[in-house]
Amino acid sequence: MVAVRIVTWNLWWRFGPWEERQQAIIATLRELDPDVIALQEVWSAGATNLAAVIAEELGLEHVFGPAGVPPYWQGHVDPTVGVGNALLSRWPLVGSGVRRLPHGDGPPEGRVAVHALVDTGAARFPVITTHLHAAPAGSAVRTAQVGEVARLVAEIRPDGDFPTVVTGDFNAEPDSDEIRLFAGVRTAPAVPGQAMIDVWRHAAPGAPWATWSAGNPYVRHPMDVDARIDYIHLSMPPLGAPGPFGVRDVRVVGDRPVGGVWPSDHFAVVADLISPLAP
């Protein structure tokens, strides 16, 4: 059995002191040495993007999926700069794609889910990352979006017991309608028979849990409240079937300044999974 380390992190686009933050992000990820990284609010400019920069620095594979720039962001930074989600891996990423998400009765923001198969050589497992609608009153929009992500899980999950890993900034707290729908264990699932486990349930009791924190100087009123809105989910095996992944450790990272610079307005989540997948 080997450990597979997965990180999910919203990188706050090009807001704030983004060049200094970029170095803090890279330093944090280098120290963590993850196997798979899922990123949201990744800036893109011309032929490059932050995921490509990080991948080159850390010697990783990457795929980037462009998304729309939310209307309320426009005017805050250079209008030629785009945004998207990305996956990075120490193993090859194959069969990648981008799934457009519905906007329901909300604004057409161009939200997406990026997916790929991580090919360890011994097996392949799917990873998805997404960034959902952000408005505090936008639960109905996010509910439509998690339904589409759940359908994507059902479509790309390979035969056998290997799970799909779903990560991202869901902009919703664990007891919200949209998270309960996506998990499918405390209400009827979005896809019949499909259940997802929030790996944070394996975290140490009392561990710091907020990924959106009033302790982060980039978090400002009126949203300066502690909330857990960033997730790593695993699809659950059929009842009675052994799963190849166990969760050894889950924690918040990126929750302190690096060289005096806070990396992002979100903290990251890192999970160490025990798996026979790697060669």
Side-chain angles (χ1 to χ4, degrees), residues 10-31:
N10 179 317
L11 300 185
W12 203 34
W13 200 33
R14 274 195 176 180
F15 292 114
W18 67 271
E19 291 174 299
E20 293 83 357
R21 291 196 306 100
Q22 181 169 303
Q23 296 309 309
I25 289 164
I26 292 171
T28 301
L29 291 173
R30 179 177 285 115
E31 182 177 356

Side-chain angles (χ1 to χ4, degrees), residues 1 14-15 21 34 42 55-56 61 90 119 171 176 199 228-229 245 260 267 273:
M1 302 290 282
R14 274 195 176 180
F15 292 114
R21 291 196 306 100
V42 177
E56 183 174 4
E61 301 273 338
R90 69 172 68 256
D119 187 352
N171 277 311
S176 66
V199 300
R228 184 165 69 87
I229 60 176
F245 276 129
F267 300 153
L273 311 178

Side-chain angles (χ1 to χ4, degrees), residues 215-239:
N216 188 323
Y218 298 137
V219 175
R220 294 288 185 256
H221 179 80
M223 294 298 292
D224 56 349
V225 295
D226 286 351
R228 184 165 69 87
I229 60 176
D230 301 86
Y231 297 88
I232 299 173
H233 281 93
L234 301 179
S235 62
M236 296 178 68
L239 189 64

Side-chain angles (χ1 to χ4, degrees), residues 186-198:
R186 296 182 179 177
T187 189
V191 172
Q194 178 173 284
M196 310 292 296
I197 182 72
D198 174 0

